[in-house]
Amino acid sequence: MRLRALLDTDALGLRLLGGEDELDRTVRGVMTTDLKDPSRYLSGGELVLTGLAWRHDATDSEPFVRILAGAGVAALAAGEAELGDIPEDLVLACVRHRLPLFAVNESVAFATITEHVVRQVSGERAGDLAAVVDRHRRMMTSGPAGGGPDVVLDLLGSDLDLRAWVLSPTGRTVAGADGDGPALSGDVCARLAAEHLAAARTGRRGPHRVTVGATTYSLFPVRSSGRSASASRDVRETVLSDWLLAVEADAGDWPEERLDLLQGVTQLISVERDRRDAARTVRRRLAQEVLELVQTGAAPAEIAARLRVAAPVLLPGLGAAPHWQVVVARVEWDGGDVDGGPVAQSLLEEILVDPLSRGPEHSDRIAVAHTGEEAIALVPLPAVSSEHDGSESGLLADVLLEAVRGPLSAGLNDDGRLTLGVSAAVHSAEGLRGALEEARHARRVAAARPGRVCAAGHQELASHVLLLPFVPDDVRRAFTARLLDPLRDYDRRHRAELIPTLEAFLDCDGSWTRCANRLHLHVNTLRYRVGRIEQLTGRDLSRLEDKLDFFLALRMS
């Protein structure tokens, strides 16, 4: 398309400031940038859109325009939203270098102009799908103004009639326009994420095809462009943190050209993933600094000062230091030859995001550090007005994992474990060290449970539940065998149901009447059974010590 056609399109809000004699130039692409030197992203023929963030004074215009003219761009379009009227020094520089200059009305989004140009150019070059990806690669890598993955997914829908979503490893929707047709449900997202993780663990190359109901989806892995893609790298280092692109189509019979296009799209999305990780650097550093102060026994005043710095970053606009919770996570692989700390850090950042939220920006209030194999999250909570500890409005261990247990279990396969512990909410720096220890204790309780994905909260640390998991297996077996094996043998030979009777008797706090009613027995029959239990074990169920021993034996069996 030609520049003249852009100027004639009223919806684009373009006003010509110079270069009327050059309006027959051909536009072959579009790029948004606020870099001082965007030359490495230019190949010639682009309409360059800029918000002028690169301009600090009048001397910046000349070198910027000289770079664009040298790269052979078609024209420059500057937005009026930042500075109002376009600076005169920029107008004069464009005149000197014969570069057409447009002003973009502040009411018009750059995305509107980008979509129009891409549609026109792709229509004129029908069938050249790779050109679409190439244009948007430049657009996304030039700076945040590129529009993120939603721009590319919109293109897949409008130009290729493909509905697509970017999903996190837990099945959360990171990007994807709903458009026509029903949105993906949480259950479908979780299923797709689980299928993708299971396929990745087997080493199968994408795309992976999955049929849910009557719909077939093709799943493409989105690997971070900042990491090594070496085939020798252990998949377990990244499988629980990489995104995936889910396309509502069967890619089994696609030509190579279209498969290459989708691979290009995943590369664009990986740029957004890298930006998201880079944006977390400040929050991770804040968490690391607070954690080091807590673990080294720093004075509460010093920790409180650091928290006052962290609060505005993690909860902008709150106005006061919030309450805090600590969450500790650990990812462990059989053999111990894979570093689980970075994986646990990335995974915990994802788990702590509301699974119903969309987009990558919802994690901007979570600070996670990692030390060795352990990831530690400092989670701010808005201060509550009650005098209680505020834990009721905070995070609950089981709720955290409820929505993500299925996908993560698939990714952990049969050789990995995720364990997680959650502290109570604390009000001040004085309580933070105790919260860290509480979360660590809770995680150890979770680690003692069966299953690939386990969690425990601070509520469980005030009972025998905290102690039982740490009883050595040989002691556990000997203790339960001494008390319960005689009853099991008797039940097996006589079908007497002494074990169920013992459980009901203890559960009814030794009340003969309540226990008899629960078991639908006459009280005399219950007394006979309890007498038989005492005779076989040499214990007295009227004594508190013996009741406690039976209670613990049943819990450990």
Side-chain angles (χ1 to χ4, degrees), residues 157-169:
S158 62
D159 288 12
L160 305 181
D161 198 26
L162 292 175
R163 298 183 75 216
W165 300 262
V166 178
L167 304 180
S168 77

Side-chain angles (χ1 to χ4, degrees), residues 93-116:
C94 288
V95 170
R96 282 194 296 271
H97 291 277
R98 300 181 62 83
L99 181 66
L101 175 64
F102 298 95
V104 182
N105 189 281
E106 61 180 347
S107 65
V108 178
F110 281 0
T112 301
I113 300 173
T114 297
E115 182 179 356
H116 178 82

Side-chain angles (χ1 to χ4, degrees), residues 114 231 240 342 347 378:
T114 297
L240 295 179
L347 192 56
L378 187 65

Side-chain angles (χ1 to χ4, degrees), residues 238-280:
T238 59
V239 68
L240 295 179
S241 56
D242 284 338
W243 290 348
L244 68 137
L245 174 67
V247 181
E248 190 180 272
D250 187 344
D253 56 355
W254 280 6
E256 285 297 323
E257 291 81 2
R258 180 163 285 209
L259 288 173
D260 289 344
L261 169 70
L262 267 294
Q263 295 296 345
V265 169
T266 65
Q267 292 173 13
L268 299 184
I269 296 168
S270 73
V271 174
E272 181 64 29
R273 175 63 192 271
D274 289 342
R275 284 195 189 128
R276 193 281 308 265
D277 286 342
R280 285 180 168 176

